[in-house]
């Protein structure tokens, strides 16, 4: 199974600042995804990140707020811009390895104060 | 659009009890179906999956059968252990497999000794 590492694992951020989360996969993958999990809630897909093209965002999420990079087949970043307390969540990176086998990182737990 | 409905918890059982967590879905065609588990303080782990009607996914004593006629993918285990205490998420992925996952709200399972 793919091993997905995220950094940072936790952070406390000041409102108005931006934070970039890194996601590293231990093998090349075509599709990577970013999700948000608000406290006590389910996961919501933010965007799909494919190498060589712009990320595809889900309804309610925009590039200016959540810019994503995908420079190669093993790495992606998600930036949470101009943070507010409502952005306090777990942000999870996931990647597909093999048909319909999707793995998740441990998540990045962000608290905005 | 796609949606997943699962029983909300918490569900509290005694050790060695039989477990069923209900999951139904709404989607076009034949989506792929998944169960993920999230142990306290950890990320999501893929528990099992099924990609076509009547398929049975199984892992670690858990199993679920893809029922197209009832649009269901109920999770079962014959004898639960305290270590099974976690949050369980049912999820689907659209036909074609180019999208991310749509998750249910999660079911918190508590197993008492």
């Amino acid at each position: 199974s793919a091993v997905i590492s995220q950094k940072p694992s936790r952070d406390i951020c000041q409102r108005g600042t931006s934070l970039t989360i890194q996601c590293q996969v231990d093998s090349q993958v075509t599709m990577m995804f970013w999700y948000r999990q608000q406290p006590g809630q389910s996961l919501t897909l933010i965007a799909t990140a494919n190498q060589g093209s712009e990320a595809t965002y889900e309804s309610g999420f925009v590039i200016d707020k959540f810019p994503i990079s995908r420079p190669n087949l093993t790495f992606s970043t998600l930036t949470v811009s101009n943070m507010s307390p409502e952005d306090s969540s777990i942000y999870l990176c996931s990647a597909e390895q093999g048909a319909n086998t999707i793995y998740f990182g441990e998540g990045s737990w962000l608290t905005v104060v | 659009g796609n949606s997943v409905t699962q029983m909300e918890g918490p569900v509290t059982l005694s050790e060695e009890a039989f477990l069923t967590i209900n999951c139904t879905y709404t989607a076009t065609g034949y989506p792929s179906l998944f169960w993920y588990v999230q142990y306290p303080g950890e990320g999501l782990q893929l528990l099992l999956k099924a990609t076509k009607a009547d398929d049975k996914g199984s892992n670690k004593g858990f199993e679920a059968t893809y029922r197209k006629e009832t649009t269901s993918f109920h999770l079962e285990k014959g004898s639960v252990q305290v270590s099974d205490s976690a949050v369980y998420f049912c999820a689907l992925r659209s036909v074609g497999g180019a999208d991310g996952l749509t998750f249910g709200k999660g079911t918190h399972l508590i197993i008492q000794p």
Side-chain angles (χ1 to χ4, degrees), chain B residues 12-82:
Chain B
T12 303
L13 296 173
S14 297
E15 206 166 20
E16 298 183 5
F18 184 88
L19 168 71
T20 300
I21 300 177
N22 290 337
C23 171
T24 58
Y25 67 89
T26 301
T28 303
Y30 290 82
S32 296
L33 301 173
F34 307 81
W35 278 100
Y36 282 84
V37 58
Q38 188 174 38
Y39 297 103
E42 300 185 13
L44 264 72
Q45 298 178 27
L46 176 62
L47 183 59
L48 54 84
K49 66 176 183 178
T51 57
K52 60 183 188 293
D54 300 324
D55 266 3
K56 178 185 284 188
S58 61
N59 187 23
K60 299 181 182 180
F62 291 89
E63 59 182 35
T65 301
Y66 189 144
R67 301 286 188 200
K68 179 64 177 176
E69 62 277 11
T70 54
T71 61
S72 65
F73 193 55
H74 304 322
L75 183 68
E76 297 181 334
K77 186 175 185 182
S79 176
V80 292
Q81 306 300 312
V82 172

Side-chain angles (χ1 to χ4, degrees), chain B residues 89-110:
Chain B
F89 291 94
C90 185
L92 71 79
R93 192 180 196 195
S94 296
V95 175
D99 301 331
L101 298 170
T102 299
F103 282 86
K105 292 187 175 183
T107 301
H108 186 193
L109 176 66
I110 301 169

Side-chain angles (χ1 to χ4, degrees), chain A residues 31 35 42 96 99-102, chain B residues 32 34 36 49 93 98 101 104:
Chain A
M31 304 191 76
Y35 291 82
S42 186
E96 181 174 17
N100 278 314
T101 303
I102 299 174
Chain B
S32 296
F34 307 81
Y36 282 84
K49 66 176 183 178
R93 192 180 196 195
L101 298 170

